[in-house]
């Protein structure tokens, strides 16, 4: 599958009930040859309207953290587990995540990132099958068949709880450090 096939398949998808409430599908944004793939949960209201991920308040906070870390945007691609907005911004259900997972797998196969950052428990559970609470998962790196995975908070959690901002920022710095090591052939 190439990008055009994938994008057309998502746009026409009726694989779960989330298709009924969407204004736009939200596939992803960023460099399609990125080293780092950031994965959130699903589109919110603004994302649904614009068809672009992480453009609402949580996305703006995420961008501020990337700026503070001087993160080169050409290094990243941003996507969600589900491509259609869950009603009332609820978490996507397990069956919705599973129905949509082939598209995220397709993105992973096309991008071939060295690093995947799971932002929030939905992404961590869907991609890594983790069921532990975030305080046990956050900040831990895992090597899965040569790809490095990190679980951290979803940026929306930082809007609800200010104390999570610093650990999230530390995780962003950790990603940047790993990126440097990859560039320098240390990893
Ligand atoms: Fe299809 Fe994913 Fe949208 Fe469900 S969320 S309708 S599986 S694109």
């Amino acid at each position: 599958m190439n990008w055009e096939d994938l994008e057309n398949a998502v746009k026409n998808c009726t694989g779960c009930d989330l298709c009924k409430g969407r204004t736009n599908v939200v596939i992803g944004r960023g460099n399609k040859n990125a080293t780092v793939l950031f994965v959130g949960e699903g589109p919110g209201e603004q994302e649904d309207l614009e068809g672009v991920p992480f453009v609402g308040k949580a996305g703006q906070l995420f961008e501020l953290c990337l700026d503070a870390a001087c993160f080169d945007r050409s290094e990243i691609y941003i996507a969600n587990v589900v491509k259609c907005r869950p009603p009332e911004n609820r978490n996507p259900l397990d069956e919705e995540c599973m129905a949509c997972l082939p598209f995220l797998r397709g993105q992973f196969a096309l991008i071939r990132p060295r690093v995947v950052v799971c932002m929030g428990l939905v992404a961590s559970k869907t991609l890594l099958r983790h069921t532990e609470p975030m305080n046990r998962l956050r900040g831990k790196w895992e090597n899965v068949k040569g790809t490095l995975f990190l679980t951290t908070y979803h940026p929306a959690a930082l809007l609800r709880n200010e104390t999570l901002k610093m650990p999230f920022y530390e995780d962003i710095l950790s990603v940047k450090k790993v990126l440097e090591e990859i560039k320098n052939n240390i990893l």
Side-chain angles (χ1 to χ4, degrees):
M1 188 183 269
N2 59 31
W3 276 105
E4 193 180 352
D5 293 339
L6 186 142
E7 286 164 10
N8 283 333
V10 175
K11 281 175 190 162
N12 293 308
C13 181
T14 55
C16 78
D17 281 349
L18 295 183
C19 68
K20 294 175 185 168
R22 73 184 175 214
T23 310
N24 289 294
V25 294
V26 179
I27 299 173
R29 69 175 163 96
N31 183 354
K32 290 175 175 171
N33 296 305
T35 310
V36 184
L37 170 62
F38 283 93
V39 182
E41 295 174 2
E45 183 179 18
Q46 200 58 37
E47 288 82 9
D48 174 66
L49 290 173
E50 295 188 31
V52 181
F54 285 90
V55 290
K57 280 186 183 169
Q60 288 163 19
L61 184 52
F62 177 46
E63 291 288 343
L64 279 177
C65 289
L66 293 175
D67 284 342
C70 300
F71 219 107
D72 182 349
R73 300 300 197 280
S74 71
E75 306 278 13
I76 69 174
Y77 187 90
I78 306 168
N80 282 308
V81 172
V82 295
K83 313 305 187 199
C84 304
R85 183 191 179 199
E88 312 296 331
N89 288 348
R90 65 158 170 75
N91 282 350
L93 305 174
D94 286 350
E95 57 264 34
E96 293 161 349
C97 294
M98 287 304 123
C100 215
L101 186 55
F103 296 131
L104 186 56
R105 285 209 175 112
Q107 289 172 298
F108 179 87
L110 289 165
I111 298 167
R112 302 181 64 178
R114 294 287 310 277
V115 173
V116 177
V117 183
C118 298
M119 298 195 292
L121 286 176
V122 170
S124 188
K125 185 178 180 189
T126 305
L127 292 176
L128 297 168
R129 308 214 181 283
H130 285 315
T131 54
E132 301 96 314
M134 181 55 85
N135 61 10
R136 294 202 15 217
L137 297 173
R138 179 249 136 195
K140 286 189 185 149
W141 285 96
E142 297 165 66
N143 187 329
V144 182
K145 296 180 183 169
T147 304
L148 299 170
F149 284 77
L150 177 74
T151 297
T152 188
Y153 299 108
H154 190 284
L158 316 186
L159 293 172
R160 296 188 292 269
N161 184 348
E162 290 258 328
T163 66
L164 305 183
K165 285 182 180 172
M166 189 48 74
F168 180 81
Y169 179 60
E170 286 168 1
D171 289 342
I172 294 292
L173 290 178
S174 177
V175 174
K176 202 172 169 223
K177 182 166 173 278
V178 164
L179 202 52
E180 290 301 319
E181 289 172 357
I182 288 170
K183 275 192 207 160
N184 294 326
N185 290 321
I186 297 171
L187 284 175

